[in-house]
Each structure stands twice: as C-alpha cells, then as structure tokens.
Amino acid sequence: MTDPAGFEEYRKQVPGTVEKYGGKFLVRGGQVQTLEGDWKPKRIVVTEFEFLNIEQARRWYDSEEYRALKALRLRTARGAAWSWSKASRPGCASAK
C-alpha cells in the first residue's frame, strides 16, 4: 500500500460494485503465511462471482462502476489481479 488513506476509500466503496455484479468476498485481508514457494503477499483478496463465472468477473472489472475505483486502487497500492473459472474445492460440482 502506497497511500493508506486513499486505499481505505477504495476499500469502503468497492463492495457495492462487486455485489452488483453477483460477487462476494471470500477472503479480504487478514494474516498471510507462505507455506511453499517464493510468493510472499502481504494481503490477499479472493472474490467469487456467481456460478464461478470468469466472464462475469471480467464484466465487473471492466465496468463503469469499477473504473474509477480501479484507478484509485492502482494509485494507492501495488499488487496483482487474476481471474479464473471453475475453481476446484471440496463439495463444488466443478471439483469432479
């Protein structure tokens, strides 16, 4: 985070945009401990969109509602973003 006050504003506003596109936060912050590998993130956010839909996640990411917030995030923090479909987890139909 390069600008904590600016990032806090992002953090307050982004949930409404995620929810509008059928998303919900599964993980948002908290302690991170690397068990294997070289990646040592300081913060992780995991967002799930309805039906594990990669296209819906992209619609949110490219949306008018998120555009200004994305610019704010890019100004106030350093990080990376990924999108994937059909995540496999126990009890999930896509895990078969």
Side-chain angles (χ1 to χ4, degrees):
M1 206 172 315
T2 58
D3 175 358
F7 189 78
E8 182 61 24
E9 192 57 38
Y10 168 84
R11 238 178 43 78
K12 287 179 189 175
Q13 292 185 41
V14 77
T17 68
V18 169
E19 291 165 8
K20 180 177 180 177
Y21 283 81
K24 64 181 177 181
F25 290 102
L26 300 180
V27 176
R28 195 172 187 206
Q31 185 177 11
V32 178
Q33 182 179 60
T34 300
L35 299 177
E36 295 182 16
D38 297 330
W39 188 43
K40 307 224 183 303
K42 292 183 172 131
R43 186 174 198 285
I44 291 181
V45 175
V46 177
T47 309
E48 177 181 80
F49 286 84
E50 285 183 25
F51 312 112
L52 304 174
N53 187 323
I54 197 167
E55 291 83 12
Q56 187 67 0
R58 188 62 191 223
R59 280 191 282 281
W60 163 75
Y61 186 77
D62 292 336
S63 72
E64 185 69 33
E65 296 88 350
Y66 185 59
R67 187 171 294 133
L69 290 173
K70 181 176 16 176
L72 178 59
R73 180 182 55 79
L74 292 172
R75 280 193 315 272
T76 61
R78 292 195 180 114
W82 297 272
S83 182
W84 62 89
S85 64
K86 300 192 187 216
S88 179
R89 66 177 190 234
C92 180
S94 63
K96 297 178 183 176

